[in-house]
Amino acid sequence: MNGHRHRLRAMAAALAGLLLAVPACQSRDRAGGNAGAEVTVITMANIGGTIRPGQLNEWAQEVQRRSKGSLRIEFRDEYREGEKNAEVATVEDLRRNRIDLAWIGARALDRVGVQHFQPLLAPMLVDSYELQAKVFEAGIPDRMLAGLNEAGLRGVGVLPGPLKRLVGVERPVVGVESFVRRKFAVSDSALVDLTYKTLGASAVPAPADVDLAGFDGVEFQLGTVVGRHTYRQADFVTGNLVLWPRPLVVVMAPAAQDRLTGDQRRILAEALKSRQAAAIDSARQEDRESAETLCRLGMKIPHASPAQLRGLHEAVQPVYRELRKNERSARWLSEIEALKETTGAGPDSASCQEKTTGASPLEGTWQRDMTDGDWIALPPDRADGPLNGTWTITFRGGVLTKTDPGGDIEQWPYETFRDRMHTSGTVNIDATFRISGDRLTFSDFGFGKCMDCEGYEVTFGGGKKPWIRTRDRRD
């Protein structure tokens, strides 16, 4: 919540400029490249937030590079933010040419009549990054794109995605018994609904920021468990139970495609395909980092036994029988199963690794008061005003907890080396710290790839006022 305020402030100017952009139009280049050359700008919906899938950012950069600046993708962030069926509604926006491009989770497409991607998402089939890479190398997802034409859409390409895991609110999800008469928050999909019903569970479509009160579990990739602070409401995430991956399908509106030349369409598709291997590597790295973060934040990562995994696989066989009724789906299922047999990998497993660290000099609780004068470094067009009052930061057990005057909390694992602090998780903050008696100051900030984190520099110490230690470091 508090981090969202910071990001809103830093994004205000960028969003204002974005609203002035003319979608899919010809415009004069104002951002470098060939000055005076015609630039085709296409607008892409980033559904549900301000943080974009990293590979989409890199795809946009690759498109600009390959086109020598003549083709540019601009993102509309927070598109249909908070809507339960945001992806289905976005598909309708594409059909009506209200937006040029969007990424859609492959599993959502069966709700708009596109069933081609269901074999890629068959439960417990693609359960490792190695197998997902083989499936993409074989070109199977690219062949599935043809189904979009039947729905009045145009496919640009498909990116591999992270593996989705089962989060248990009060008890771990490890076997068939974990599903029977239980309620799960899920991403809407006909295949997802069928799978949960087959397992005896109730599947309730919900947005990513769902309140888990009243639910027994939710399916998320590990990065989302960290990013959405799911660990505050749930105690478990099963390390070796992967129902399916989360590939992203990049879809284009018919009118937008008609405005592009053949070369421009080719650049979009080839640039996206060139990011597939990197997307696998990025998702695998995110899993490793997120698992470590969750362990340090106290979340438990249990594992299903081999017998429990076999029982689950047997229990979902009716879903496979339903998929095989379609000749095309049956053929793709057989291809993927053959790849799985030759790969011999899976399921990928996340776990908590024991890590010993020495006591940090930051250990303890620190506070400082913020007033109007402390916020002058914020952009003048910030989205909301300063939050005055007492701010608290606590360093304990390798976890940094920041609490604002309104009681909103953010937490990140942190490490120190000499006089540098580094946080991981939702926000990567690098800063030099200096302790003088009971006074703590930060300087020389860095935020990695985060483009909208400048507000944290103000919060942690862009001004002169130090933090004051309030408790003994052993408390």
Side-chain angles (χ1 to χ4, degrees):
M1 177 74 86
N2 178 244
H4 185 61
R5 288 196 187 97
H6 286 307
R7 287 187 283 274
L8 282 176
R9 294 184 186 116
M11 287 180 59
L15 286 174
L18 185 59
L19 293 173
L20 296 174
V22 180
C25 67
Q26 298 293 325
S27 64
R28 294 288 177 183
D29 182 69
R30 298 186 303 274
N34 297 322
E38 294 293 328
V39 178
T40 300
V41 180
I42 48 179
T43 306
M44 181 166 193
N46 180 38
I47 299 174
T50 61
I51 300 176
R52 306 166 196 148
Q55 294 307 317
L56 291 182
N57 279 327
E58 295 180 11
W59 169 54
Q61 294 167 6
E62 181 66 11
V63 166
Q64 192 158 353
R65 186 190 70 79
R66 290 182 180 225
S67 68
K68 295 181 172 60
S70 65
L71 183 60
R72 188 166 69 237
I73 298 171
E74 291 187 350
F75 290 90
R76 281 184 60 183
D77 294 326
E78 295 186 301
Y79 197 81
R80 294 191 174 274
E81 167 74 354
E83 296 185 22
K84 183 171 63 175
N85 295 311
E87 287 171 283
V88 172
T90 300
V91 169
E92 187 60 27
D93 290 341
L94 287 162
R95 281 173 168 162
R96 293 176 180 270
N97 298 303
R98 293 171 178 164
I99 191 76
D100 299 328
L101 280 169
W103 65 262
I104 305 293
R107 47 109 190 101
L109 289 168
D110 61 15
R111 288 300 195 197
V112 296
V114 180
Q115 298 180 325
H116 287 56
F117 292 94
Q118 287 185 333
L120 181 62
L121 306 170
M124 301 182 71
L125 180 57
V126 180
D127 57 2
S128 72
Y129 288 114
E130 184 175 349
L131 176 57
Q132 190 176 183
K134 294 291 185 184
V135 170
F136 272 82
E137 288 168 7
I140 295 173
D142 292 329
R143 283 181 267 152
M144 294 175 173
L145 278 172
L148 294 169
N149 294 327
E150 300 172 12
L153 299 165
R154 302 294 181 264
V156 176
V158 190
L159 283 175
L163 303 177
K164 300 194 77 170
R165 302 177 193 269
L166 276 299
V167 175
V169 176
E170 294 182 350
R171 55 182 67 86
V173 183
V174 290
V176 176
E177 70 284 354
S178 303
F179 289 87
V180 178
R181 292 187 296 277
R182 304 281 168 76
K183 185 168 73 170
F184 289 81
V186 302
S187 300
D188 190 30
S189 162
L191 179 66
V192 170
D193 189 55
L194 175 62
T195 300
Y196 278 87
K197 284 182 178 178
T198 301
L199 290 170
S202 173
V204 180
D209 59 354
V210 58
D211 183 347
L212 293 180
F215 287 97
D216 295 290
V218 63
E219 57 171 45
F220 276 152
Q221 59 263 32
L222 292 178
T224 299
V225 179
V226 175
R228 293 288 181 176
H229 306 294
T230 310
Y231 53 85
R232 296 179 185 172
Q233 289 189 288
D235 294 330
F236 305 94
V237 57
T238 309
N240 65 337
L241 175 51
V242 176
L243 285 183
W244 32 60
R246 185 177 176 266
L248 301 182
V249 184
V250 177
V251 184
M252 180 177 287
Q257 187 186 61
D258 291 344
R259 286 193 291 269
L260 298 180
T261 67
D263 282 345
Q264 288 172 326
R265 293 196 293 269
R266 176 182 53 77
I267 286 171
L268 287 173
E270 291 181 356
L272 191 68
K273 191 173 182 64
S274 75
R275 303 311 306 164
Q276 289 178 346
I280 290 281
D281 292 341
S282 177
R284 184 185 284 118
Q285 179 65 20
E286 180 183 89
D287 272 9
R288 284 196 293 265
E289 294 175 354
S290 297
E292 180 181 339
T293 295
L294 293 171
C295 293
R296 294 177 66 180
L297 290 171
M299 200 169 195
K300 300 177 181 65
I301 305 185
H303 288 73
S305 69
Q308 287 172 321
L309 291 175
R310 286 195 299 270
L312 283 165
H313 195 269
E314 291 171 3
V316 298
Q317 287 310 300
V319 179
Y320 281 76
R321 288 194 289 272
E322 187 66 26
L323 291 176
R324 290 187 193 280
K325 290 178 181 179
N326 181 288
E327 183 179 347
R328 178 190 58 239
S329 294
R331 185 170 61 253
W332 280 330
L333 273 176
S334 296
E335 285 187 56
I336 297 172
E337 287 171 333
L339 287 171
K340 185 167 187 173
E341 185 174 348
T342 58
T343 300
D348 275 3
S349 180
S351 61
C352 289
Q353 303 294 329
E354 290 295 328
K355 189 173 182 180
T356 58
T357 57
S360 166
L362 295 173
E363 196 83 359
T365 300
W366 309 76
Q367 291 184 332
R368 69 173 184 165
D369 292 330
M370 298 281 279
T371 60
D372 286 344
D374 297 307
W375 299 97
I376 58 175
L378 284 177
D381 49 2
R382 58 185 178 268
D384 55 1
L387 191 55
N388 293 333
T390 300
W391 291 69
T392 303
I393 52 175
T394 300
F395 298 87
R396 183 170 290 113
V399 176
L400 163 56
T401 302
K402 177 174 67 65
T403 308
D404 72 18
D408 288 330
I409 293 174
E410 286 187 277
Q411 289 182 304
W412 311 282
Y414 82 96
E415 295 177 338
T416 58
F417 180 71
R418 296 179 179 169
D419 62 347
R420 292 289 287 177
M421 176 193 76
H422 173 74
T423 69
S424 55
T426 54
V427 175
N428 294 328
I429 302 173
D430 286 291
T432 298
F433 66 89
R434 182 174 184 272
I435 298 174
S436 178
D438 285 335
R439 294 171 175 261
L440 167 65
T441 55
F442 295 95
S443 61
D444 302 322
F445 289 87
F447 301 101
K449 294 183 179 180
C450 183
M451 303 299 292
D452 54 3
C453 290
E454 295 88 347
Y456 287 104
E457 182 169 353
V458 179
T459 300
F460 275 88
K464 304 294 185 182
K465 190 179 296 181
W467 297 86
I468 307 299
R469 190 191 295 274
T470 63
R471 298 179 185 175
D472 185 89
R473 59 186 294 173
R474 292 168 295 180
D475 182 20

